[in-house]
Amino acid sequence: MKLFQVRKGQFVYYNNELHKVYAIKPMYKLSVHLIKLRDLTQHITNAASVERYIPKENDSFIFDHKVYTLNKNQIPKAGNLILINNPSPDTLDHYSLNEIEVVETVDNKGVVTSDLNGIKHTEYLLMLPGRAPDSHPIDYKNMVNIEEDISSDYPQNIQPELQVQLGDIYKKIDSDVFFEAMIIAIKGQTVYFGGGLEVSNKDLMDTEKWEFLYNPFNN
């Protein structure tokens, strides 16, 4: 897949697993920034290494260690998750393709999410908890030898694996103060940046707080 075909928000397969594109950085050799839907870890690669997938009704997949099945006919309730697969935002709304949001209120026209977006019923698929018996699992592109992995819910009481390396450079994006630093040590579920800052695994994997840039030691 060439770079101009990759867009923010797209679902793609990378290393056989389902990811979502959260940023494109054309100036870097590894320009495609991904988040793995299974555990929300961040990864970086190039356009040639990913293959697009368009989610549809009755697909099922693991998101943040929990299994969901996509449904377009059932009306959501407060607290449900939705996948915005057909975005048509109004001027004051700020959502885009394949964003996942939490429903706050529901009416005949659509829903209002916890991010204060008004989303019409034609713009989303409901993420029903659990894997429906007749669903189409999309966790992996190649399903050979992994049926056992998708046959039950992913364990919900484990910590996501910390998939970072020494030398990774991250930028903090939820602050007006510029901060960009390199990981110089990793211990358990904690990473240590140059300058003495310690960050937990959970915090670093939050794409609204941190953005992985590159690793100067990787070719």
Side-chain angles (χ1 to χ4, degrees):
M1 180 180 285
K2 296 181 180 179
L3 182 59
F4 66 82
Q5 296 176 305
V6 183
R7 295 288 184 270
K8 180 180 178 181
Q10 288 178 338
F11 278 20
V12 298
Y13 286 110
Y14 170 63
N15 286 344
N16 199 42
E17 290 200 62
L18 189 66
H19 293 67
K20 188 174 81 168
V21 179
Y22 74 85
I24 304 291
K25 303 291 184 179
M27 70 289 296
Y28 297 118
K29 181 178 179 181
L30 298 178
S31 55
V32 181
H33 294 240
L34 306 171
I35 182 166
K36 187 192 296 185
L37 293 180
R38 171 185 290 273
D39 55 15
L40 304 187
T41 54
Q42 299 179 44
H43 305 268
I44 185 169
T45 186
N46 53 40
S49 299
V50 301
E51 181 175 340
R52 184 184 180 189
Y53 181 82
I54 301 175
K56 57 186 181 299
E57 183 187 17
N58 212 40
D59 283 345
S60 62
F61 59 94
I62 297 170
F63 172 70
D64 193 15
H65 306 284
K66 299 178 183 178
V67 181
Y68 297 91
T69 299
L70 299 178
N71 180 289
K72 71 175 183 180
N73 297 316
Q74 186 168 325
I75 300 298
K77 301 177 181 178
N80 285 156
L81 295 179
I82 58 172
L83 173 71
I84 304 172
N85 67 320
N86 185 34
S88 181
D90 294 329
T91 304
L92 298 179
D93 292 318
H94 50 87
Y95 58 88
S96 58
L97 178 65
N98 289 335
E99 290 193 19
I100 295 173
E101 298 198 12
V102 181
V103 173
E104 286 284 335
T105 61
V106 183
D107 60 29
N108 291 333
K109 295 182 179 180
V111 303
V112 176
T113 70
S114 57
D115 290 336
L116 302 181
N117 287 313
I119 302 171
K120 296 182 286 294
H121 290 307
T122 57
E123 296 183 78
Y124 67 83
L125 293 169
L126 173 62
M127 295 173 57
L128 286 175
R131 199 183 298 275
D134 61 344
S135 69
H136 172 231
I138 61 171
D139 310 80
Y140 303 92
K141 182 177 184 294
N142 183 357
M143 303 300 293
V144 177
N145 297 326
I146 57 174
E147 287 81 1
E148 181 179 350
D149 183 69
I150 66 168
S151 63
S152 60
D153 289 356
Y154 192 80
Q156 299 177 19
N157 60 351
I158 63 172
Q159 291 290 331
E161 181 182 357
L162 187 56
Q163 298 187 10
V164 297
Q165 302 179 62
L166 295 179
D168 284 353
I169 295 177
Y170 277 80
K171 176 182 178 181
K172 192 162 180 60
I173 58 177
D174 65 341
S175 172
D176 293 332
V177 178
F178 177 81
F179 182 85
E180 184 177 306
M182 177 183 290
I183 294 176
I184 60 172
I186 302 172
K187 183 177 181 181
Q189 294 294 317
T190 303
V191 300
Y192 299 84
F193 285 103
L197 179 65
E198 300 179 15
V199 180
S200 69
N201 175 15
K202 182 178 180 180
D203 192 48
L204 189 60
M205 293 301 102
D206 188 339
T207 57
E208 294 184 356
K209 296 180 179 180
W210 292 93
E211 178 182 345
F212 172 64
L213 298 179
Y214 62 96
N215 187 312
F217 306 111
N218 291 340
N219 296 324

